């Protein structure tokens, strides 16, 4: 091997030279890792969105060649630009998987959680920086494994994001990639969630008692517990499906299967419902993983832009914990039609109705918070405000699905698609957008452009509603989901085709609107209006340090004297009192805050 | 502000340190992971038309010997923890090495069992019983391997770490011991479900 | 009325009206909650915008009417649950019609077709033998077995007499499908390895789709069967021609 006079290899010297880049790439700083998470997951969101725009073409104009880019597809996906059903199913499964597992969760937990939790609790970093880095890299590999499945024979996984066996057991090779990716991803999120829980419990600044935590931190805590406890059963299920696919076992294959009128070579004796139970045991808590951090972001931004404390903070915290707990007890409401008896269905219907109550409580608290406020309409607060009715629609349409009798007609129709997209798209995605507009000045020292932001907001709001509102109409009329031809094969769907066309155009317009956003990001990083350390006059600790926060976060370890939302305190000099401001901000005696160092 | 507090010192108001809390949380997730596998066992067994009697198809003697070996390994590990707590640093590495050897023996015996079963034509695809048997024991064996790596890491890092802060080493060993007890417990359940029942 | 307004399909079975009533009631609850909150929301946005209300009020909303609305939502949900959904489900699962008077049909789902198996005039299904399964005998009906000679097997074509309860014994040969008949408000997953009964009573003559409602592969979208509901006499005549 080549060596320099000191006997170190040239390679080593080269490596030393690139050391800085490597160090930056493999940083242990939670802010860098948070950004890596955010950028990666934003890319996945865009990919997931891209797949969706393709699907919407096929739904709007079934069997017509995809314009412009149709030629790029091969004979196995879209010969002559006309999408094959196999390919449609791949796009659907990958859209769901990417959006949920590689997009929204890593962005809200890995990105926002990683970046903000240590700052908001006044800590120097996460409790286990090395695990934190590892969790990002495993996530990246998992994502690449999933994406690379598009290139294998048979293409990407095509059995839906739910991967129900036996279909998934006998599906093409892509499904194996899905399983491998899933196992990696679960490992990554496990490391991440342990880290977040330990950080929140152990590294809170002196005086930051639990009831003084920003609501966002609470939602991250509950979310981390959900990830910690709900994901492992899917890991074991994925392992078993992997065994079925490559080890010849029959965990999920009953005896006597015939595929294409030929007996399937498998021992049998398994149970397809076993998978569904394990999957939904994860996937229901998972949906609250999608919504809780979003609620946290919205709460932060609302409190700041209405300039008053959140109404019923304690109630919100208890509700979030209760949601977390209950979310382990409702999973079978996705399986009402698998042949469930009265007792079991009564149990799961009841738990489902019960779990809707804490969501109602949180929404009510956020809505009532507006009362008496002094509302500022920044782009961030527009997105946060719009979250409320949008989540309201999504949540309320969960009710007819949660009642087994009305679910009979609605199950697996576009009604379900409409239900959860109202929650995850104009709900969670809006909250994430709000978070980007709100914290961008902290990250970069510059504001995003408000004028472009307003275009982005109204464009997204209108387009999303035009996409998702007609889904309820389609669903009630009996149009099924996962239909390659948009349901046209069925006479009863013929009259609904006009909605598909509208949805298609809205989806592509939505894509254009996102370009405005991306442009805003790129331009504002360099040329945006400068922001001070605390540009929104906010109270929580992330604003109590320099912009952007230095390595180690705080020059002096902060001490916390009060709750997270002391806005417009009567008698105080300013309309906000930062959590770390000693004294009582000019309050009458007795109302001031004790540091409560514990 | 950069050192992370409470990695091995107790935080007064929560009463734990970061490493221990982290391991507890990890074990909680492991409970759910094995819970998934065990629930598969019960669901498949409940729906099965026939289910072999464990001792007829698996080697209960080898399983029992292995149980003794694994439990001894954790016992030795416990002695290492005790030694560390008593400040007898010089004994730690010897005991760790002994514990690792026992774990290797466990893996050896397990491989022997696998070899015998495979030779007898009993492979994962034979039946759901064997599918579960191989999956459970292989996952458990992976945990043993991970434990050996953990012990090896403790073996190499404990002398310098001890010089810097003995309490850190003690804490690491205590946390690792929790992991080993968990691995034992899982093994006992596996023996009960597969070899005995 | 409201069912029409929601755009639900025609009610072609006896159970449809009852299930629709629940759907309508839930949507009424949703509409009341949503409209109520929306009015408040818009009011708050206008009344408490910065220009109109420059200094926020620390205490904010007072009074207990929030708990009131929350409790009201909870109570209505519980009523819908206890008075409608659970009983409706109980009849769906336990209220099987008498098999002697009902039409009993076996449906075996397969990628991507519905195999419909009638027992024929003798009312007893012939035996199936997996070894006979092949392209022209997808369910492996053993024509030599005692009751099989008069059995009728069709593909994607189910004829039913109006007004008589039907019991569909549902199963699948390969993957999970779902037997969805929007017009009858019937949907039931067909799970391989199990046989699950569903029942309904057609109340309208005409043709209605069976739409596979569970992703089952590349042909999922075209896994369509047709139920033709006819008068009892026509039904008998149809059975004979098969
Ligand atoms: C973030 C995601 C998320 C969230 C929060 C929820 C929340 C809820 N979900 Fe949803 N759900 C999904 C994501 C989500 N869901 C997904 C992804 C699927 C499909 C999976 C698949 O099959 O692929 C699904 C499917 C699904 C089903 C299965 C349907 C089927 O397949 O047949 C059911 C059934 O019970 C259900 C019920 C509910 C209920 C009762 C809630 C409740 O928690 C909702 C409670 C909330 C409210 C009741 C709102 C309160 C509103 C107000 C107070 C009014 C406010 C008004 C204004 C501001 C104007 N959901
Ligand atoms: C979090 C989850 C999530 C999200 C966000 C979305 C977003 C969208 N989804 Fe998706 N969807 C699913 C999860 C999600 N979906 C799942 C689980 C399924 C079921 C799959 C299955 O059947 O198995 C599904 C299925 C599904 C279908 C049904 C397909 C079928 O049944 O055949 C449709 C149809 O139109 C659809 C449409 C859309 C559209 C138009 C959006 C749009 O709202 C997309 C808008 C996207 C963006 C706006 C992202 C923009 C990103 C950036 C601009 C990057 C930068 C961002 C930041 C830094 C914050 N989705
Ligand atoms: Cu059969 Cu979908
Ligand atoms: Cu759910």
């Amino acid at each position: 091997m080549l060596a320099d006079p000191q006997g170190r290899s040239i390679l080593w010297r080269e490596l030393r030279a690139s050391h800085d880049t490597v160090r930056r790439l493999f940083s242990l700083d939670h802010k860098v890792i948070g950004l890596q998470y955010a950028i990666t997951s934003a890319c996945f969101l865009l990919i997931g969105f891209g797949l969706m725009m393709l699907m919407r073409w096929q739904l709007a104009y079934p069997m017509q060649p995809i314009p412009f880019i149709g030629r790029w597809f091969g004979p196995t996906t879209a010969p002559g630009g006309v999408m094959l059903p196999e390919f449609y199913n791949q796009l659907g499964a990958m859209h769901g998987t990417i959006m949920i597992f590689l997009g929204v969760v890593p962005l809200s937990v890995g990105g926002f959680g990683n970046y903000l939790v240590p700052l908001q609790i006044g800590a120097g970093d996460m409790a286990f920086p090395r695990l934190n880095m590892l969790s990002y890299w495993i996530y990246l590999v998992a994502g690449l494994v999933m994406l690379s499945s598009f290139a294998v024979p048979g293409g990407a996984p095509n059995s839906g994001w739910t991967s129900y066996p036996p279909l998934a057991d006998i599906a093409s090779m892509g499904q194996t990639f899905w399983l491998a990716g899933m196992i990696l991803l679960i490992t990554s999120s496990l490391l991440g969630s342990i880290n977040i829980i330990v950080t929140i419990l152990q590294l809170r600044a002196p005086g930051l008692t639990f009831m003084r935590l920003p609501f966002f931190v609470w939602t991250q805590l509950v979310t981390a517990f959900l990830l910690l406890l709900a994901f492992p059963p899917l890991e074991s299920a994925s392992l078993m499906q992997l065994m079925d696919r490559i080890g010849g076992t029959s965990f999920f294959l009953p005896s006597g299967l015939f595929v294409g009128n030929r007996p399937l070579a498998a021992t049998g004796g398994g149970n397809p419902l076993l998978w569904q139970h394990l999957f939904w045991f994860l996937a229901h808590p998972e949906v609250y993983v999608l919504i809780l951090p979003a609620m946290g972001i919205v709460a932060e931004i609302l409190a700041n832009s209405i300039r008053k404390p959140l109404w019923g903070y304690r109630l919100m915290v208890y509700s979030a914990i209760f949601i977390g707990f209950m979310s382990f007890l409702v999973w079978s409401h996705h399986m009402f039609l698998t042949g469930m008896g009265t007792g079991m269905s009564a149990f799961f219907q009841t738990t489902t109705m019960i779990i809707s109550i804490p969501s109602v409580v949180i929404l009510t608290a956020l809505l009532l918070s507006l009362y008496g406020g002094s509302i500022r309409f920044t782009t961030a607060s527009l997105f946060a405000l719009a979250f409320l009715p949008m989540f309201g629609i999504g949540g309320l349409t969960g009710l007819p699905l949660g009642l087994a009798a009305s679910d009979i007609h609605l199950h697996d129709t576009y009604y379900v698609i409409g239900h959860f997209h109202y929650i995850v798209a104009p709900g969670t995605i809006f909250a994430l957008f709000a978070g980007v507009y709100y914290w961008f000045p902290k990250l970069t020292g510059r504001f995003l452009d408000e004028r472009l932001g307003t275009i982005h907001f109204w464009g997204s709001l209108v387009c999303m509603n035009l996409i998702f509102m007609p889904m309820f109409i389609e669903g009630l009329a009996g149009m099924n989901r996962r239909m390659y031809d948009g349901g046209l094969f069925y006479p009863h769907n013929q009259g609904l085709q006009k909605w598909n066309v509208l949805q298609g155009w809205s989806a592509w317009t939505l894509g254009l609107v996102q370009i405005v956003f991306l442009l805003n990001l790129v331009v504002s990083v360099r040329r945006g209006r400068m922001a001070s350390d605390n540009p929104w006059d906010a109270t929580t600790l992330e604003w109590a340090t320099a912009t952007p926060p230095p390595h180690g976060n705080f020059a002096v370890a902060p001490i916390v004297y009060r709750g997270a939302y002391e806005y417009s305190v009567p008698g105080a000099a300013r309309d906000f009192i930062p959590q770390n401001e000693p004294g009582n901000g000019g309050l009458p005696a007795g109302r001031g805050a004790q540091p409560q160092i514990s | 502000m950069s050192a992370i507090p409470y990695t091995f010192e107790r935080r007064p108001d929560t009463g734990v340190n970061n490493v221990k809390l982290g391991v507890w949380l990890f074990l909680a997730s492991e409970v759910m992971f094995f819970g998934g596998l065990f629930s598969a066992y019960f669901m498949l067994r409940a729906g099965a038309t026939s289910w072999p009697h464990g001792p007829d198809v698996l080697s209960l003697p080898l399983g029992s010997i292995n149980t003794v070996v694994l439990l001894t390994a954790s016992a030795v590990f416990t002695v290492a923890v005790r030694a560390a707590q008593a400040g007898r640093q010089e004994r730690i590495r010897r005991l760790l090495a002994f514990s690792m050897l026992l774990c290797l023996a466990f893996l050896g015996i397990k491989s022997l069992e696998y070899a015998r079963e495979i030779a007898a034509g009993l492979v994962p695809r034979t039946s759901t019983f064997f599918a579960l048997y191989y999956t459970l024991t292989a996952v458990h064996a992976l945990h043993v391997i991970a434990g050996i790596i953990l012990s090896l890491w403790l073996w190499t890092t404990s002398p310098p770490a001890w010089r810097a802060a003995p309490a850190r080493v003690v804490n690491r060993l205590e946390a690792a011991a929790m992991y080993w007890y968990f691995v034992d417990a899982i093994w006992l359940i596996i023996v009960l479900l597969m070899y005995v029942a | 009325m409201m069912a029409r307004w929601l755009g639900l399909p025609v009610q072609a079975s006896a159970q449809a009206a009852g299930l629709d009533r629940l759907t309508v009631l839930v949507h009424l609850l949703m509409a009341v909650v949503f409209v109520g909150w929306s009015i408040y929301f818009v009011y708050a946005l206008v009344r408490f915008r910065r220009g109109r209300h420059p200094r926020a009020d620390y205490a904010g909303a007072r009074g207990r009417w929030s708990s009131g609305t929350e409790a009201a939502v909870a109570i209505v949900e519980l009523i819908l649950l206890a008075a409608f959904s659970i009983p409706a489900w109980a009849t769906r699962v336990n209220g099987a019609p008498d098999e002697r008077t009902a039409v009993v049909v076996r449906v075996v789902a397969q990628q991507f077709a519905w195999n419909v198996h009638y027992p024929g005039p003798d009312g007893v299904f012939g035996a199936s033998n997996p070894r006979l399964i092949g392209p022209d005998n997808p369910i492996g009906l053993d024509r030599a077995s005692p009751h099989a000679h008069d059995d009728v097997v069709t593909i994607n074509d189910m004829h039913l007499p109006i007004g008589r309860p039907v019991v569909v014994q549902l199963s699948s040969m390969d993957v999970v499908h779902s037997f969805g008949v929007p017009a009858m408000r019937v949907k039931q997953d067909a799970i391989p390895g199990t046989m699950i009964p569903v029942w309904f009573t057609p109340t309208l003559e005409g043709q209605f789709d069976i739409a596979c409602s569970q992703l089952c592969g590349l042909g999922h979208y075209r896994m369509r069967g047709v139920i033709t509901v006819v008068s009892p006499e026509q039904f008998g005549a149809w059975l004979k021609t098969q």
Side-chain angles (χ1 to χ4, degrees), chain A residues 100 161-162 280 284 286-288 290-291 333-334 336 352-353 355-357 359-360 363-364 367 388-389 391-396 398-399 401-403 407 410-412 416 419-420 423-424 428 481-482, chain C residues 33-34 37-38 41 77:
Chain A
I100 289 188
W161 80 292
T162 48
W280 290 116
H284 188 87
E286 173 77 13
V287 309
Y288 291 96
L290 296 171
I291 198 68
H333 67 204
H334 297 270
F336 283 139
T352 302
M353 289 305 116
I355 202 177
S356 70
I357 298 303
S359 299
V360 172
L363 256 258
T364 307
L367 281 167
L388 303 175
F391 173 74
I393 297 177
L396 289 171
L399 300 180
L401 302 175
L403 295 168
D407 187 48
L410 298 174
H411 177 66
D412 265 327
V416 178
H419 152 62
F420 73 81
I423 300 177
V424 295
T428 304
R481 60 192 285 200
R482 293 164 167 173
Chain C
V33 173
F34 187 76
W37 273 119
S38 296
F41 184 57
E77 281 182 14

Side-chain angles (χ1 to χ4, degrees), chain A residues 269-521:
Chain A
N271 186 343
L273 288 185
L274 173 60
W275 168 271
Q276 297 192 18
H277 281 294
L278 291 172
F279 180 85
W280 290 116
F281 187 83
L282 151 91
H284 188 87
E286 173 77 13
V287 309
Y288 291 96
V289 168
L290 296 171
I291 198 68
L292 282 170
M295 288 174 169
I297 293 173
V298 167
E300 295 300 297
I301 295 172
L302 276 191
N304 177 272
S305 47
I306 61 178
R307 316 303 299 167
K308 63 181 281 299
L310 291 178
W311 189 92
Y313 166 85
R314 259 168 204 276
L315 210 56
M316 287 169 67
V317 169
Y318 298 143
S319 300
I321 297 172
F322 187 61
I323 288 183
F325 174 74
M326 283 302 291
S327 67
F328 287 100
L329 297 176
V330 301
W331 79 90
S332 283
H333 67 204
H334 297 270
M335 300 168 60
F336 283 139
L337 300 180
T338 53
M340 201 182 272
T342 312
M344 216 161 106
S345 96
F347 175 80
F348 283 106
Q349 292 181 66
T350 312
T351 54
T352 302
M353 289 305 116
I354 292 175
I355 202 177
S356 70
I357 298 303
S359 299
V360 172
V361 171
I362 292 183
L363 256 258
T364 307
L366 288 173
L367 281 167
L368 281 188
S369 299
L370 300 179
Y371 196 92
S374 172
I375 305 170
R376 279 116 171 97
F377 292 99
T378 57
T379 308
S381 79
L382 285 176
F383 273 114
L385 286 167
F387 170 91
L388 303 175
M390 295 297 110
F391 173 74
I393 297 177
L396 289 171
T397 49
L399 300 180
L401 302 175
L403 295 168
S406 40
D407 187 48
I408 296 174
H409 180 58
L410 298 174
H411 177 66
D412 265 327
T413 64
Y414 264 89
Y415 196 92
V416 178
I417 302 284
H419 152 62
F420 73 81
H421 278 88
Y422 258 102
I423 300 177
V424 295
T428 304
I429 295 267
F430 270 24
L432 295 171
F433 282 147
V436 171
Y437 283 94
Y438 184 68
W439 280 292
F440 189 81
K442 185 86 247 173
L443 268 73
T444 62
R446 289 174 190 277
F447 286 99
L448 283 167
D449 186 75
E450 285 286 314
R451 208 144 14 109
L452 293 181
T454 313
I455 299 175
H456 179 212
F457 169 72
W458 288 106
S460 299
L461 185 69
V462 170
C463 290
M464 289 229 187
N465 277 286
L466 288 179
I467 301 171
F468 298 123
M469 190 53 83
M471 287 187 180
F472 296 126
I473 302 171
E474 294 174 328
L476 284 164
M479 182 166 136
N480 280 348
R481 60 192 285 200
R482 293 164 167 173
M483 289 280 147
Y484 158 67
D485 60 351
L488 274 188
F489 202 76
Y490 294 90
H492 70 259
N493 290 331
Q494 235 89 74
L496 301 170
Q497 181 57 17
K498 56 178 184 287
W499 297 116
N500 280 340
V501 176
L502 173 70
Q503 289 165 320
W505 284 98
S506 307
W508 308 317
T509 315
L510 181 63
L512 288 181
V513 173
Q514 302 314 312
I515 293 179
V516 176
F517 174 58
L518 295 178
L519 214 68
N520 196 350
L521 285 176

Side-chain angles (χ1 to χ4, degrees), chain A residues 172-186:
Chain A
S172 63
M173 197 206 273
Q175 185 62 24
T176 306
F177 279 63
W178 190 91
L179 294 166
M182 224 48 213
I183 290 173
L184 286 170
L185 201 63
I186 294 170

